[in-house]
Amino acid sequence: MSAALLIDAAYVIAAVLFIVGLKRLGSPETARSGNISGALGMLVAIAATLFSQEILGFGAILAGVGIGGLIGLVLARTVQMTAMPQLVAVFNGFGGGASALVAVDEYIRIGETGAAATPDVAFTIAAGILIGTVTFSGSMVAFGKLQGVVSGNAVTYPLQNASNALIALGILGVAGWMISAYDPRALLILAAVSFVFGILLVIPIGGADMPVVIALLNSYSGLAASAAGFVLSNDILIISGALVGASGLILTSIMCRAMNRSLANVLFGAFGAGGTTAAIGPAGDGDKTVREITPDDAAVLMAYSKSVVVVPGYGLAVAQAQHQVREMGDLLEEKGVDVRYAIHPVAGRMPGHMNVLLAEANVPYPQLWEMERINPELERTDVVLIVGANDVVNPTAEDDPSSPIYGMPIIEVHHAKHTIVLKRSLSPGFAGIDNPLFYAESNRMLFGDAKASITALVQELKNL
Amino acid sequence: MLEALLISITIFVLAMFVGFEVITKVPTILHTPLMSGSNAISGIAIIGAVLVAGRLSGTLSVTLGVIAVAMATINVVGGFLVTDRMLQMFKRKEEGQ
């Protein structure tokens, strides 16, 4: 058997391991073994590739693996769970960047042979550079927004969509140039324009839409790997890339559905950039009475109820209050209160953000309830504690057709007997929409930083 | 040559369908691990990077190859490790604290 045949056989095994891995990542019981299966597939694929006759020297490979492996190891070990969205963005970007470089390298190699690339090959190369570079620069902007280096708000400028369309046309033109003749200038221009395009695509997207963006970039990073596979006619690249592309698209559509918005609306709508100001009700409106509660009253209310549901939002991540929340939950359970956590699919800055934070704080996952499952339970719930969440519990999504978030599925906390909202101030959430929940008869506000407020609640619970 | 492209497209389309079928329903608690785990798989670009870095066809080409290998390795190693770290935290009860 030739080496090429053995490599292909190994690639089949790797593909199977990836598919099994993804399947097992779909259930909490098997997820960890699924991830290991994926890693094993990767190991098989890489090891097999090293036997390729195309490889003439290992120095460059070793250098790259050494540097990358060390950085990857340190990042994975040291990252704070609250910084997970940024890290995923960075990883997406690097995957896309690597794919783009593979395409670039192939174009250079073809140029060195003196022959022009055939149109189909040049086309796959152009596509590879475009998708890979957009993934890279888009992910870097997403990282910047999540890290707070770049404004997290939706950045808009006049004729945004028109200029994007123009750039897209330009990209097609340059790609056509690359396909018709070998020209390194075309390569450079395509890479540069794609880079700018990636930035422009992500910059207008506001903070609360980040879960969609991260999922979409995840999908792109897969498609970029697939494109690199087209360039090299390598099946395992195409297959793995397509699998990731599909999984990213599924997550993206779950996120969009959870906000009742189309993908086009998220990408081009620049939601929350302004223009909704008319919907903001001034905090001190005459008929809107806000009822405050002190930590000791809140502690008593919760301690003497049967069931408490905690609804975490991005504010929990910002305040890094997950450990305090868990401590509070423990104290309540000791007092015989049934404690659950209601997780909205788009709470936080990436898909599943709240689950990761609460898991880090050792909250057992059967206590984490999905929106559809908790909603029917809320009528029978005594106290709902809302920690740094706003739009995902805003009842206008249900009953006010003029509201920008009308139709978005929410956690129906207003059905509960009591709600307590932990918030810094009465400022509206990202959507700029006033929340009638704050003025409801059954609601109390506990103003302050989430971590400080919950620490105070914990103290009061201990004193009871 | 066009034939090869068509075969590649066939494989791509079929693999997309496999992806949709395999994943379809994922509970919210696993959204992040699925994303970061599948992201690590997209680091498969490392194979392409290894192939171009190993060709030794010119200084520029090799330099780009090394950078590509490094980026893809960060993606692969970091991705699988951080996913494992997260999944370790998902516990049914308070075992092994």
Side-chain angles (χ1 to χ4, degrees):
Chain A
M1 280 220 283
S2 70
L5 212 64
L6 278 175
I7 293 174
D8 280 340
Y11 283 169
V12 175
I13 295 171
V16 170
L17 284 169
F18 288 151
I19 293 169
V20 171
L22 284 173
K23 175 97 199 157
R24 294 179 76 84
L25 270 172
S27 156
E29 304 293 335
T30 56
R32 213 173 156 202
S33 72
N35 184 52
I36 292 169
S37 164
L40 212 64
M42 189 63 72
L43 205 66
V44 169
I46 295 172
T49 307
L50 293 177
F51 288 99
S52 165
Q53 273 152 2
E54 280 179 59
I55 295 176
L56 305 174
F58 291 93
I61 298 171
L62 277 177
V65 169
I67 300 167
L70 196 70
I71 298 175
L73 183 80
V74 171
L75 283 178
R77 282 281 157 81
T78 57
V79 68
Q80 294 249 331
M81 283 301 143
T82 40
M84 269 309 292
Q86 290 95 304
L87 189 71
V88 173
V90 167
F91 287 165
N92 276 332
F94 283 173
S99 303
L101 286 178
V102 169
V104 168
D105 208 308
E106 185 68 7
Y107 196 64
I108 295 173
R109 186 191 65 90
I110 292 173
E112 280 167 354
T113 64
T118 54
D120 51 344
V121 172
F123 170 76
T124 57
I125 290 176
I129 293 173
L130 170 64
I131 303 172
T133 311
V134 165
T135 309
F136 177 72
S137 61
S139 299
M140 292 307 136
V141 175
F143 166 79
K145 280 180 176 260
L146 292 162
Q147 187 74 27
V149 186
V150 181
S151 163
N153 297 328
V155 178
T156 51
Y157 46 89
L159 295 177
Q160 196 148 24
N161 288 334
S163 70
N164 278 348
L166 214 64
I167 292 175
L169 273 179
I171 287 175
L172 283 182
V174 184
W177 175 13
M178 258 181 83
I179 292 168
S180 63
Y182 176 80
D183 196 331
R185 284 173 302 174
L187 176 91
L188 276 177
I189 295 174
L190 181 64
V193 180
S194 303
F195 189 84
V196 175
F197 194 47
I199 296 175
L200 294 182
L201 280 181
V202 177
I203 210 131
I205 297 170
D209 284 345
M210 287 321 271
V212 181
V213 179
I214 301 288
L216 192 66
L217 287 169
N218 182 32
S219 177
Y220 283 178
S221 77
L223 296 179
S226 256
F230 277 93
V231 170
L232 299 174
S233 297
N234 184 310
D235 293 346
I236 188 71
L237 276 176
I238 298 175
I239 294 170
S240 324
L243 291 173
V244 179
S247 100
L249 279 180
I250 289 175
L251 272 181
T252 308
S253 83
I254 293 175
M255 294 301 116
C256 284
R257 230 180 305 136
M259 297 195 295
N260 189 37
R261 294 169 55 200
S262 70
L263 183 58
N265 182 267
V266 174
L267 293 181
F268 306 115
F271 197 66
T276 51
T277 36
I280 302 178
D285 249 355
D287 55 334
K288 290 176 172 174
T289 323
V290 169
R291 299 165 184 85
E292 277 196 62
I293 193 168
T294 56
D296 53 329
D297 285 342
V300 170
L301 183 62
M302 289 194 294
Y304 292 101
S305 47
K306 274 206 195 76
S307 57
V308 170
V309 167
V310 179
V311 181
Y314 184 56
L316 176 88
V318 173
Q320 304 223 18
Q322 65 269 32
H323 297 282
Q324 282 73 17
V325 167
R326 141 94 206 238
E327 199 185 348
M328 184 191 72
D330 283 355
L331 286 167
L332 287 171
E333 286 199 308
E334 277 170 31
K335 296 183 189 299
V337 183
D338 175 41
V339 180
R340 285 172 293 183
Y341 300 82
I343 315 285
H344 193 281
V346 292
R349 287 293 182 266
M350 71 177 166
H353 196 177
M354 293 303 126
N355 299 86
V356 173
L357 288 185
L358 292 172
E360 187 203 10
N362 275 321
V363 175
Y365 67 76
Q367 259 178 286
L368 308 175
W369 284 48
E370 296 190 7
M371 178 173 65
E372 295 83 4
R373 235 177 106 219
I374 198 86
N375 272 344
E377 305 272 323
L378 288 172
E379 280 174 41
R380 277 163 280 153
T381 302
D382 297 316
V383 183
V384 176
L385 190 73
I386 296 133
V387 187
N390 185 358
D391 296 322
V392 299
V393 294
N394 192 334
T396 59
E398 280 191 335
D399 50 28
D400 179 3
S402 69
S403 166
I405 58 168
Y406 180 66
M408 169 171 144
I410 57 162
I411 297 179
E412 296 155 1
V413 298
H414 52 286
H415 294 324
K417 288 179 195 123
H418 302 276
T419 52
I420 302 174
V421 174
L422 268 62
K423 221 172 169 305
R424 281 174 199 278
S425 69
L426 274 180
S427 68
F430 98 96
I433 309 153
D434 199 18
N435 193 339
L437 176 75
F438 299 163
Y439 316 107
E441 183 71 44
S442 58
N443 182 60
R444 296 289 179 276
M445 304 295 294
L446 182 52
F447 288 114
D449 170 72
K451 195 173 193 166
S453 296
I454 294 176
T455 309
L457 282 176
V458 166
Q459 259 326 310
E460 296 297 339
L461 282 172
K462 280 181 181 161
N463 293 341
L464 277 178
Chain B
M1 226 20 226
L2 207 60
E3 229 167 273
L5 183 62
L6 263 177
I7 294 175
S8 295
I9 292 174
T10 310
I11 293 173
F12 175 74
V13 172
L14 291 179
M16 283 292 270
F17 274 102
V18 171
F20 284 127
E21 286 303 315
V22 164
I23 293 149
T24 48
K25 201 159 167 36
V26 179
T28 314
I29 93 157
L30 287 171
H31 282 170
T32 301
L34 173 72
M35 197 172 57
S36 79
S38 69
N39 173 241
I41 293 177
S42 79
I44 190 76
I46 191 172
I47 292 205
V50 161
L51 285 173
V52 298
R55 281 201 294 237
L56 304 181
S57 50
T59 321
L60 175 64
S61 174
V62 171
T63 313
L64 291 179
V66 172
I67 299 174
V69 172
M71 281 174 128
T73 312
I74 293 175
N75 191 184
V76 169
V77 173
F80 283 121
L81 282 180
V82 88
T83 308
D84 191 63
R85 205 180 125 197
M86 265 189 286
L87 289 171
Q88 249 178 308
M89 299 183 320
F90 287 118
K91 289 187 200 105
R92 194 160 255 292
K93 285 196 192 69
E94 321 206 348
E95 58 210 25
Q97 274 181 56

